[in-house]
Amino acid sequence: MIKRNSNFAKLSSRYLFREIENRRREFARNHPEAQLISLGIGDTTEPLPHSVTEALKAAAHRLGTREGYLGYSQEQGFQSLRKKISDIVYQTKIQPEEIFISDGAKCDIGRLQLLFGEGLSIAVQDPSYPVYIDGSILQGVKEIIPLPCTPENGFFPSLNSLPRVDLIYFCSPNNPTGAVATHAQLEELVHYAKKNQVLIIFDAAYASFIREAHLPRSIYEIKGAEEVAIETNSFSKWVGFTGVRLGWTVVPERLKYSDGTSIRSDWERLTTTLFNGASNIAQYGGLATLEIEGLQEADKILSFYLENAAILKESLLSQGCKVYGGDNAPYLWVSCEGTNSWELFQSWLENLHLVVTPGSGFGTYGEGFFRLSAFNSRENILIAKERLRVNLKMNSIQNYGY
Ligand code: PGU
């Protein structure tokens, strides 16, 4: 029979969020009375904006008519959607031809890993979104170098001592720390990449949460980034499309391999071969999001999640916890004061009936922290706040470990 891909043996047995879901389900099965609140996986909870739902409905309806039926369309996505993203997200700095519409950032990260193939040395922020590392292991990279991101370095890694790598993953606003890189920090990153001829994969999936105007929402706000960076982004968190599925990746024309050939043309070759385009219904939803009404409605929902983050942050700070993030991102990164993060996870599940994400699931430097997601109803956030108030008053965070 066929041999197993040996890279699977290098992965932990379950993907982080599957492991959390399994533990949550098991607890719920044994304690059906428990009112569990999930502050774990970053999954949107609020209904879609009205104007977007109307566009989705109309698109679905058109598919049921002879004149409006659409089959496969352009693999790169509707020209109208790429043009709108170019205008609104990138103020025309990025051309529609450089934008590839997809079924989400996670899927594009996987395809990028396929594009660059095996044998690479990569560097990854630690802690970081686990897909960068798990996917790289499957891809067969040679070496993974962690870039520690801690409160001490303001969650921005030191690049000085980094050995030669081919590729750096960088996520801002960051999952899980909620930190947003400043303009000066991204300049340092781009400068480093240019000087050392390193490619950056920049994940901007949470860019729409940035509220402080001076903070960059795209790597392409940095001069020269088109020569060193690919950017991936998504409608998932922006407008609640985690289930609808729509995202995009920018591969600039000016981005070249070491032999001077075009990375964009290989990306086009790969996506036309292995991807048949994002759902056309979802793309109409994307177009509606980019209209004035859609942008305003989406923004209200984003502000709502940020208010949730502020409520939780304020509550934890008032209990004396060390809390980071949450101001321009939907995640809080909380110190568990020396407690093992999986033990804290289990203890909060059993005692507080709150599901969190243990920091070590995001990397070695995530140990000693946990992540709280602000994606939830206000009602649940207030219940969670009350549970934290009552329980943390009686017990320090440490006492929730075993
Ligand atoms: N990039 C980052 C940095 C993310 O945190 C997530 C989702 C994605 C991409 C996925 O974007 P899509 O466009 O929806 O594909 N992270 C969530 C969900 C967990 C997961 O496995 O994707 C989280 O809780 O971290």
Side-chain angles (χ1 to χ4, degrees):
M1 205 11 152
I2 191 165
K3 245 180 50 200
R4 187 185 192 208
N5 171 349
S6 60
N7 292 325
F8 277 99
K10 301 176 192 156
L11 292 175
S12 55
S13 62
R14 286 200 198 97
Y15 177 60
L16 174 65
F17 292 101
R18 171 57 67 88
E19 176 66 31
I20 290 172
E21 179 55 15
N22 283 12
R23 292 192 187 206
R24 187 195 69 78
R25 269 198 214 150
E26 190 191 328
F27 184 79
R29 203 170 33 246
N30 297 330
H31 302 86
E33 74 296 343
Q35 230 201 56
L36 289 179
I37 294 178
S38 175
L39 305 174
I41 189 166
D43 192 3
T44 46
T45 56
E46 298 311 291
L48 296 178
H50 178 72
S51 62
V52 175
T53 321
E54 289 303 306
L56 292 172
K57 270 165 45 185
H61 181 77
R62 278 195 300 277
L63 290 181
T65 65
R66 181 149 304 282
E67 320 70 58
Y69 175 75
L70 266 182
Y72 295 127
S73 42
Q74 304 107 310
E75 296 93 342
Q76 201 174 329
F78 293 167
Q79 165 69 20
S80 52
L81 181 55
R82 289 187 276 126
K83 170 89 174 68
K84 266 218 141 73
I85 292 175
S86 160
D87 290 348
I88 290 172
V89 180
Y90 299 109
Q91 293 80 45
T92 69
K93 252 187 263 158
I94 294 294
Q95 300 311 304
E97 294 67 38
E98 299 172 303
I99 297 168
F100 293 75
I101 307 297
S102 74
D103 50 352
K106 185 176 186 169
C107 319
D108 269 348
I109 293 164
R111 283 187 284 261
L112 286 168
Q113 287 163 339
L114 186 65
L115 177 71
F116 296 114
E118 59 184 7
L120 302 182
S121 293
I122 66 157
V124 187
Q125 286 163 295
D126 185 345
S128 69
Y129 181 43
V131 172
Y132 309 145
I133 290 194
D134 286 6
S136 296
I137 290 173
L138 288 176
Q139 165 193 359
V141 297
K142 187 172 71 191
E143 189 183 20
I144 300 176
I145 299 187
L147 297 169
C149 294
T150 62
E152 291 71 39
N153 64 17
F155 299 106
F156 187 78
S158 156
L159 299 170
N160 299 329
S161 51
L162 185 63
R164 158 94 205 131
V165 291
D166 300 294
L167 168 61
I168 299 179
Y169 286 91
F170 200 93
C171 176
S172 178
N174 190 261
N175 174 14
T177 65
V180 186
T182 62
H183 207 273
Q185 288 171 332
L186 287 191
E187 247 169 24
E188 188 184 327
L189 179 69
V190 168
H191 177 76
Y192 178 88
K194 277 183 129 174
K195 189 163 155 237
N196 297 282
Q197 291 297 297
V198 179
L199 176 77
I200 302 166
I201 294 185
F202 188 81
D203 188 336
Y206 300 97
S208 52
F209 286 89
I210 294 178
R211 285 298 180 263
E212 292 171 58
H214 63 97
L215 293 170
R217 287 172 162 229
S218 162
I219 189 87
Y220 304 118
E221 288 182 34
I222 311 302
K223 201 163 164 268
E226 303 94 279
E227 290 162 32
V228 286
I230 287 175
E231 177 167 296
T232 187
N233 205 325
S234 173
F235 286 83
S236 282
K237 312 295 159 80
W238 184 7
V239 69
F241 272 20
T242 49
V244 174
R245 309 300 306 147
L246 191 67
W248 73 90
T249 287
V250 175
V251 186
E253 206 74 69
R254 280 166 61 192
L255 192 62
K256 306 284 188 226
Y257 291 111
S258 51
D259 67 0
T261 59
S262 161
I263 297 184
R264 187 202 165 279
S265 68
D266 274 4
W267 180 244
E268 186 174 33
R269 181 70 173 86
L270 183 136
T271 49
T272 48
T273 307
L274 296 177
F275 180 57
N276 256 344
S279 143
N280 46 38
I281 298 179
Q283 292 190 70
Y284 282 115
L287 276 168
T289 304
L290 291 158
E291 295 295 331
I292 288 173
E293 203 183 342
L295 289 168
Q296 286 172 348
E297 284 184 287
D299 223 50
K300 268 196 208 139
I301 303 172
L302 293 166
S303 296
F304 171 84
Y305 291 132
L306 285 170
E307 282 162 25
N308 282 350
I311 291 169
L312 291 174
K313 186 167 185 173
E314 208 263 322
S315 167
L316 286 160
L317 285 173
S318 72
Q319 310 288 329
C321 300
K322 290 196 189 96
V323 190
Y324 307 92
D327 302 324
N328 296 282
Y331 298 127
L332 299 178
W333 188 236
V334 190
S335 163
C336 41
E337 311 282 343
T339 306
N340 171 287
S341 57
W342 271 112
E343 285 178 4
L344 182 129
F345 166 89
Q346 197 63 33
S347 170
W348 280 34
L349 176 64
E350 289 167 15
N351 299 309
L352 303 187
H353 298 168
L354 296 179
V355 181
V356 304
T357 308
S360 63
F362 298 101
T364 312
Y365 287 84
E367 186 51 284
F369 292 87
F370 60 96
R371 189 191 81 176
L372 290 184
S373 154
F375 294 110
N376 222 313
S377 65
R378 183 59 45 82
E379 193 191 351
N380 277 349
I381 291 292
L382 293 175
I383 298 172
K385 175 186 163 181
E386 185 57 14
R387 289 186 196 166
L388 290 171
R389 190 185 68 77
V390 171
N391 288 280
L392 294 184
K393 205 173 210 150
M394 296 188 304
N395 299 277
S396 64
I397 278 196
Q398 291 100 306
N399 291 347
Y400 276 97
Y402 288 112

